[in-house]
Amino acid sequence: MRTWFVLSILMVIVAIGTLGATGQDAKQLAAKGHEVFVEVLGGNEAKYDEAIKYMEESRQLDPANTNNLYNLARAYFYHALTTNNAESAKKSEATLAKLMELKPSDTRALAFHGSILTFISGGKDIPKFMQGASEMKTAIDKDPQNINNRIVMPFTARNFPPQALAAMGN
């Protein structure tokens, strides 16, 4: 009985130690992924896959790390826009939706989610485009001083529905 008790205590200690180490590793991976993504934004596009790898590994270890989810979604957003990659757009949208679920007050996530919806709409899916535009407007209304909420607006202009452009005289 005593041996069983000691083994049980030892197992709990090992499990707690493993969880603590895993959390730290997830944070380190997220930080490394963001660091590499900044290099991608600086022009070293060859490092995109490396940045995604670190951030995805971090998400596997800690799926509720909202900072990592935000950076991962932005990386997918970047890839969707620069390569016109529909799969990256879907990954960005799904990641942002998860982030908004975990942290509904994050207006940056709402603005980026709105912008990626307008991208996914391709100017053809009017309800999706309107939802995206509405989300961006809501993000700006809630936090007008946040530059991140305004950064995504120019990307929406690329996806205006033809009917809207015609109505505007363009």
Side-chain angles (χ1 to χ4, degrees):
M1 180 80 163
R2 181 175 175 212
T3 303
W4 179 83
F5 181 73
V6 171
L7 284 175
S8 296
I9 296 294
L10 185 59
M11 294 288 280
V12 168
I13 291 170
V14 169
I16 290 171
T18 301
L19 287 174
T22 300
Q24 182 61 32
D25 288 341
K27 288 179 183 175
Q28 290 173 343
L29 287 167
K32 181 67 175 172
H34 179 256
E35 179 183 315
V36 175
F37 181 55
V38 169
E39 291 180 46
V40 172
L41 292 174
N44 192 350
E45 294 177 11
K47 289 197 166 198
Y48 173 78
D49 289 336
E50 180 184 353
I52 291 295
K53 177 182 157 280
Y54 287 128
M55 289 186 275
E56 282 290 359
E57 287 176 7
S58 175
R59 178 165 63 173
Q60 291 279 327
L61 295 171
D62 183 4
N65 180 337
T66 56
N67 288 329
N68 183 57
L69 290 175
Y70 176 70
N71 289 322
L72 179 60
R74 286 189 321 141
Y76 282 132
F77 182 89
Y78 165 85
H79 193 251
L81 293 178
T82 58
T83 65
N84 202 29
N85 186 301
E87 190 59 35
S88 290
K90 290 176 188 173
K91 288 179 179 179
S92 177
E93 189 279 327
T95 305
L96 287 163
K98 180 64 177 176
L99 173 56
M100 291 176 356
E101 178 185 313
L102 292 170
K103 191 175 178 184
S105 63
D106 191 339
T107 59
R108 303 170 311 159
L110 184 62
F112 271 97
H113 188 259
S115 187
I116 202 66
L117 287 178
T118 64
F119 176 81
I120 291 170
S121 81
K124 295 178 179 85
D125 184 340
I126 305 301
K128 190 172 296 260
F129 180 87
M130 294 305 294
Q131 178 187 352
S134 175
E135 286 181 4
M136 286 187 295
K137 181 180 181 329
T138 299
I140 290 171
D141 289 347
K142 285 184 175 182
D143 192 0
Q145 301 305 313
N146 189 328
I147 189 70
N148 289 300
N149 295 345
R150 295 180 184 273
I151 283 174
V152 297
M153 291 193 68
F155 305 121
T156 300
R158 295 177 17 178
N159 298 296
F160 264 94
Q163 303 90 321
L165 294 174
M168 293 173 10
N170 294 330

